[in-house]
Amino acid sequence: MALPLSMILNAKDVSPRKTKTLDHPSNGLGTTEDNAISCRTTAVWSSKTAQYGDLPVITLAPVWGSLYHRRASRSPQHHKNLNQYQHKRQKTSEAYDSDLESEVDPDKPPEHEFDFNKFNIFKAFFNHPEILHVFTTNLEVEDLLSLYAISKDFHDFCDRRFTAMILGQSVSKAKESTEIFKWKMYKNMCQDDPAGRPNEEASPRELKNGEIGIPVRDIPTFRWLTMVLHRERVVDEILEVLNNAGHRLPRPCSIVLKKIWVTMGIPDNGRRVGLMHNRNFWTNKDLIYATWFLIKLDMHLTDPLSGKGETLMRRMLMAQPTLTTLWQVLKREELCNQFDMMRMYVHWKWRPRPDHRHLSICGIPPEHIGALQYEGYGKGTQKMIPPDSLILRESIRRKLHMHDRLVDMLLFGNINSRTFEDVWPTESLGQEEEDAWSDTDDSSDEDETEDADIVDPDDLELRG
């Protein structure tokens, strides 16, 4: 039997006994048969009431006000205190309604709801350092710097685990560059640990305050992180420009370009040659891929119809202290006219006449004219060997027979090595295709005796 909602809320006696009593023949509204049915129904209802007791009152939350009020109005709430309910049943409906409205506060949310005016999700992260660490790895470097500068709590959090935060950023966004451009190689981009942890590898010595003790360890900084991400992006865009121009390169050329960048950062011949002799850093495959890159770069910088195989442009770009210059040239941001090319050549290896040595040429100061061809990029007097020449010399020293691979390097990306059919520029090359052209190992015909002048990359001290 469906009952009106108002009758339930007002706790009226809506049993069949009372409903049928209203239709009693004494009132002139019912019949004898209805009276008999009413008596049987009353007996059943009374037995169930005696067995289960009175049912609790069901109230509905108000429908006006905030989002909580509208959401709570859709779900019934049972009255908590049944003793009060038993007492209220004896009251009139009007008095019960007034008591109910006084107990249900429409402006007070339940205890499980948050106070959103006071809750701060960012401050809640500090109770879970592992979640906050993952949160920082997904931020951009600019946002991370801003947050480090404006939030004292976040500043203190980072100072306690600075190395983990910086390396987490670099590994997640530039894993190869993190392994090649190790932060210990760039001392000018390191700082003392803000947490004051000692350097376990250092021996006791005189500190800055004059006392004898173990110095504080060095940690990477935001400058090193910015440099690593910049170099990762530059290398990727260099390969992308060459691939879009039809000069495709194998995937391992990415890490080889970063090794070339490390070699360009060494400002003297002795350590450059020693690093090239290090087989753990420069493997035979690395030398093959590096030669591959130089050939494709010459093809890109030479006109395919009127070009005469000139390599001066490539040699001038590889003599720069960084690959950023090559990146800007390939993106048409540098060397856009002949005057810019003349300025770069003057800075590289121009020899002025004796009566012009005190004058600037093409806007280059006299002390910087021809400086890039000497050690220290102008600070020394010995001419420096550029990386492209070192790669060719080391290939000859290891007897890699690079001349037998030149034709394959020229045809890579243009002809399928298995079917000898043309490869369209939009067609992607699979790993098997790359391995077919670069099938080699790290063995050579040269004696495997170690050289005395080998340089370990971990021992290098470079400037970013």
Side-chain angles (χ1 to χ4, degrees):
M1 178 179 63
L3 300 179
L5 182 62
S6 59
M7 300 179 68
I8 299 177
L9 296 179
N10 296 330
K12 293 181 178 180
D13 189 358
V14 292
S15 64
R17 173 182 54 78
K18 186 172 182 179
T19 304
K20 297 301 180 179
T21 304
L22 294 176
D23 298 336
H24 198 270
S26 61
N27 296 330
L29 299 176
T31 62
T32 305
E33 184 180 357
D34 293 335
N35 190 17
I37 296 176
S38 175
C39 293
R40 290 194 300 269
T41 307
T42 302
V44 175
W45 185 271
S46 301
S47 62
K48 290 188 176 181
T49 303
Q51 179 180 359
Y52 298 102
D54 294 330
L55 297 177
V57 177
I58 297 178
T59 62
L60 296 182
V63 295
W64 60 84
S66 64
L67 176 63
Y68 158 70
H69 301 142
R70 296 193 297 272
R71 183 178 73 250
S73 63
R74 300 189 181 96
S75 58
Q77 297 178 351
H78 289 279
H79 205 282
K80 295 182 179 179
N81 196 335
L82 295 181
N83 295 328
Q84 294 180 4
Y85 162 69
Q86 295 290 348
H87 175 69
K88 289 184 177 66
R89 283 205 58 173
Q90 301 175 3
K91 297 183 178 180
T92 61
S93 61
E94 293 80 6
Y96 176 74
D97 291 341
S98 62
D99 292 344
L100 183 62
E101 292 178 359
S102 64
E103 288 188 6
V104 178
D105 189 359
D107 297 327
K108 183 179 180 181
E111 298 178 356
H112 67 273
E113 297 284 347
F114 291 101
D115 187 355
F116 292 100
N117 295 326
K118 297 181 180 179
F119 179 71
N120 190 325
I121 188 173
F122 179 69
K123 291 184 178 180
F125 278 154
F126 291 101
N127 298 327
H128 307 278
E130 64 281 355
I131 299 179
L132 185 58
H133 178 71
V134 176
F135 171 73
T136 57
T137 58
N138 291 276
L139 290 177
E140 297 294 335
V141 180
E142 294 78 8
D143 299 333
L144 188 63
L145 277 170
S146 301
L147 194 59
Y148 182 77
I150 65 178
S151 175
K152 183 178 183 302
D153 295 335
F154 186 76
H155 192 284
D156 296 338
F157 171 82
C158 293
D159 287 347
R160 291 193 299 268
R161 46 183 65 82
F162 207 93
T163 303
M165 182 192 64
I166 296 295
L167 293 181
Q169 277 268 339
S170 62
V171 170
S172 62
K173 299 177 180 178
K175 185 176 182 180
E176 277 188 359
S177 297
T178 304
E179 297 175 355
I180 298 299
F181 307 109
K182 299 180 180 180
W183 61 271
K184 294 184 179 180
M185 297 164 51
Y186 301 90
K187 296 297 184 181
N188 64 323
M189 293 187 176
C190 296
Q191 67 177 12
D192 293 340
D193 190 354
R197 298 182 181 89
N199 187 358
E200 298 178 355
E201 299 178 357
S203 56
R205 61 187 180 186
E206 185 177 358
L207 304 179
K208 295 180 181 179
N209 55 6
E211 300 179 356
I212 303 298
I214 299 178
V216 178
R217 69 173 186 175
D218 293 333
I219 61 172
T221 61
F222 285 106
R223 289 184 58 202
W224 175 83
L225 177 62
T226 305
M227 180 201 71
V228 167
L229 298 181
H230 168 73
R231 295 190 176 188
E232 179 78 15
R233 180 169 65 94
V234 167
V235 170
D236 291 343
E237 292 188 4
I238 287 175
L239 297 177
E240 182 181 357
V241 170
L242 293 177
N243 290 337
N244 293 339
H247 308 295
R248 298 187 175 185
L249 288 165
R251 293 184 183 89
C253 286
S254 173
I255 192 171
V256 169
L257 271 179
K258 296 165 187 175
K259 293 182 178 182
I260 292 177
W261 205 328
V262 172
T263 308
M264 295 172 70
I266 302 176
D268 56 89
N269 289 331
R271 291 188 298 168
R272 281 191 174 188
V273 174
L275 184 62
M276 295 299 301
H277 289 177
N278 190 337
R279 292 177 176 271
N280 295 326
F281 188 78
W282 278 104
T283 63
N284 293 342
K285 286 186 177 181
D286 290 338
L287 295 176
I288 294 174
Y289 287 125
T291 307
W292 213 322
F293 166 73
L294 297 176
I295 291 177
K296 293 292 185 177
L297 182 60
D298 285 335
M299 295 172 63
H300 183 75
L301 299 176
T302 304
D303 190 276
L305 299 179
S306 60
K308 299 180 180 179
E310 180 61 47
T311 61
L312 180 62
M313 180 70 73
R314 183 253 300 167
R315 292 190 287 117
M316 182 172 62
L317 293 174
M318 297 303 295
Q320 305 298 316
T322 173
L323 282 179
T324 304
T325 306
L326 173 61
W327 169 61
Q328 294 173 342
V329 171
L330 294 179
K331 294 185 64 177
R332 303 299 178 91
E333 297 178 359
E334 291 288 343
L335 301 186
C336 299
N337 50 57
Q338 294 183 354
F339 180 74
D340 292 341
M341 296 180 62
M342 182 63 67
R343 291 184 74 255
M344 184 176 291
Y345 182 80
V346 169
H347 190 199
W348 174 34
K349 61 184 306 183
W350 178 257
R351 294 182 180 180
R353 289 163 36 179
D355 53 339
H356 292 168
R357 290 180 179 175
H358 62 285
L359 301 175
S360 61
I361 301 177
C362 297
I364 304 297
E367 62 273 12
H368 293 162
I369 296 177
L372 295 182
Q373 62 179 330
Y374 296 105
E375 289 186 345
Y377 297 105
K379 298 180 180 180
T381 58
Q382 184 72 23
K383 285 192 175 183
M384 192 160 49
I385 307 175
D388 50 346
S389 298
L390 288 173
I391 292 170
L392 297 178
R393 292 184 181 186
E394 184 65 18
S395 301
I396 296 174
R397 191 181 76 89
R398 298 188 189 183
K399 301 179 180 179
L400 297 180
H401 307 289
M402 201 70 69
H403 56 278
D404 296 334
R405 306 174 182 268
L406 295 180
V407 176
D408 295 340
M409 295 177 182
L410 290 170
L411 297 179
F412 178 81
N414 299 312
I415 295 179
N416 192 308
S417 62
R418 302 182 184 278
T419 62
F420 295 99
E421 296 179 354
D422 294 339
V423 177
W424 294 95
T426 57
E427 183 179 351
S428 61
L429 297 175
Q431 186 65 36
E432 297 180 358
E433 177 69 12
E434 295 183 1
D435 295 340
W437 288 102
S438 58
D439 186 15
T440 185
D441 53 14
D442 289 333
S443 61
S444 62
D445 296 339
E446 189 211 1
D447 190 7
E448 296 291 338
T449 56
E450 294 290 340
D451 298 312
D453 57 348
I454 287 181
V455 173
D456 190 354
D458 295 337
D459 298 335
L460 293 175
E461 292 186 9
L462 308 179
R463 298 188 64 84

